[in-house]
Amino acid sequence: MASSSSNKSPENAVNSASELTAGKRLRASDVAPWMFLGPALIIFSIYVLFPVLQSIWLSFFEWDGLGEKTFIGFGNYVELFDSDQFWTALTNNIMWMVLFMLAPPMGLAIALFLNQQVYGIRLVKALFFFPFVISQVVVGLVFSWFYDPSFGVLNSVITFFGGDPVSILADEDLVTYGIIAAGLWPQIAYCMILYLTGLNNLNHEQLEAARLDNAKGWKMLWYIVLPQLRPATFIAIVVTVIGALRSFDLVATMTAGGPWGSSTVLAYMMYEESIFNYRMGYGAAVAVVLFLIMDIYIAYFLWRMIRSEK
């Protein structure tokens, strides 16, 4: 009996050592991802998550930014939903979201046009890429000059064909459309870049198989190319929606919410109430509403995309 136990003991020692080594490797594989994610999660929590929670908490107070906070519950939200300015800003944001959805298909069309090997195509790509790299403030100034009724290019063309000058940025019915057109210019360029990247990573074996099956034109685009561009489409739509909802720079640069508040959006209303009117709690309530709209829309689109992939 002693000899049999002595014969098994080395095997048991080897097994226990291998199990210990495997356990250490398993623990290391569990810890390693968190070591890489840890710094990013800390920064995200400090600079994103904490400000969001702080804004939600601040929306229940009346505060001028300097004195003592006064808890008023849902008072800011009640006042907000009774405000005509809020409904004007919300309507303008919906217009931004609807019309900004032109950016992904237009960016795709331009990307398909530029995705070819011809002489000088790199220069053309750079010209289409240029609007994305310049500041939104510069875009706003350029389009303000473009719309100017005295010397703007648009009105020069209108008067050349016998029409009367149109002051787009001073017209309550046209001003929002004019600003959206200015915002679409760089947004289309960004979507074009996303789709160009996706087109360069297409599966060439699927393309060749489709050509052998005599697929071409719209059939090739719809059944072969677009399914492979779903990740680029998802990013393009999400970024476009976020850009439409946080449309602040162009409004502040071109009209400052005018004329008579007709072009204001939720992001600019939040800024105006918080900074100019010293109503931090009310501005936080506007920010919370904007945040919820953005989250609901993106979550719905993400759910539909995951469902379609399944």
Side-chain angles (χ1 to χ4, degrees), residues 121-179:
I121 196 66
R122 291 185 178 180
L123 176 61
V124 179
K125 287 181 181 180
L127 293 175
F128 277 102
F129 178 74
F130 175 73
F132 176 69
V133 298
I134 61 178
S135 171
Q136 291 283 313
V137 176
V138 176
V139 173
L141 290 174
V142 169
F143 271 84
S144 296
W145 298 334
F146 179 74
Y147 293 141
D148 193 278
S150 301
F151 57 83
V153 175
L154 177 63
N155 281 288
S156 298
V157 174
I158 293 174
T159 54
F160 177 80
F161 287 100
D164 296 326
V166 180
S167 184
I168 291 179
L169 298 183
D171 191 322
E172 293 182 64
D173 297 326
L174 299 177
V175 60
T176 300
Y177 296 103
I179 302 175

Side-chain angles (χ1 to χ4, degrees), residues 35 53 253:
M35 292 179 63
L53 297 177
T253 303

Side-chain angles (χ1 to χ4, degrees), residues 297-310:
Y297 187 90
I298 294 175
Y300 171 72
F301 184 81
L302 182 62
W303 171 76
R304 285 195 60 184
M305 183 178 179
I306 294 174
R307 183 181 177 185
S308 64
E309 287 182 354
K310 287 184 178 180

Side-chain angles (χ1 to χ4, degrees), residues 133-252:
V133 298
I134 61 178
S135 171
Q136 291 283 313
V137 176
V138 176
V139 173
L141 290 174
V142 169
F143 271 84
S144 296
W145 298 334
F146 179 74
Y147 293 141
D148 193 278
S150 301
F151 57 83
V153 175
L154 177 63
N155 281 288
S156 298
V157 174
I158 293 174
T159 54
F160 177 80
F161 287 100
D164 296 326
V166 180
S167 184
I168 291 179
L169 298 183
D171 191 322
E172 293 182 64
D173 297 326
L174 299 177
V175 60
T176 300
Y177 296 103
I179 302 175
I180 293 173
L184 274 173
W185 188 41
Q187 192 64 35
I188 291 172
Y190 180 72
C191 293
M192 177 205 72
I193 297 166
L194 290 176
Y195 281 118
L196 273 176
T197 305
L199 289 172
N200 290 328
N201 294 320
L202 292 178
N203 190 326
H204 294 285
E205 294 181 357
Q206 290 188 21
L207 296 177
E208 291 298 329
R211 290 191 183 99
L212 292 175
D213 290 336
N214 201 26
K216 59 181 67 175
W218 287 107
K219 288 185 177 180
M220 174 71 80
L221 177 65
W222 185 259
Y223 293 105
I224 305 299
V225 176
L226 288 182
Q228 297 186 59
L229 293 177
R230 279 183 180 174
T233 302
F234 172 72
I235 297 174
I237 292 179
V238 169
V239 172
T240 299
V241 170
I242 293 174
L245 290 174
R246 65 176 183 84
S247 49
F248 170 82
D249 299 344
L250 293 176
V251 174

Side-chain angles (χ1 to χ4, degrees), residues 26-135:
L26 182 61
R27 286 194 294 271
S29 64
D30 291 340
V31 173
W34 292 105
M35 292 179 63
F36 288 100
L37 290 172
L41 290 174
I42 293 172
I43 294 174
F44 179 81
S45 300
I46 295 174
Y47 292 103
V48 178
L49 187 59
F50 176 72
V52 169
L53 297 177
Q54 190 178 37
S55 297
I56 295 173
W57 174 250
L58 185 60
S59 67
F60 298 110
F61 291 85
E62 184 177 351
W63 186 43
D64 61 359
L66 298 173
E68 293 292 330
K69 300 183 183 71
T70 302
F71 183 79
I72 59 174
F74 290 95
N76 285 322
Y77 293 97
V78 173
E79 182 182 353
L80 184 65
F81 289 112
D82 286 338
S83 171
D84 293 335
Q85 191 66 29
F86 167 74
W87 293 109
T88 300
L90 182 61
T91 302
N92 288 336
N93 266 122
I94 293 173
M95 291 172 58
W96 274 83
M97 289 177 61
V98 172
L99 295 178
F100 248 47
M101 285 298 103
L102 294 173
M106 294 178 71
L108 174 61
I110 297 173
L112 291 171
F113 168 72
L114 296 177
N115 190 42
Q116 50 186 325
Q117 299 296 327
V118 296
Y119 180 76
I121 196 66
R122 291 185 178 180
L123 176 61
V124 179
K125 287 181 181 180
L127 293 175
F128 277 102
F129 178 74
F130 175 73
F132 176 69
V133 298
I134 61 178
S135 171

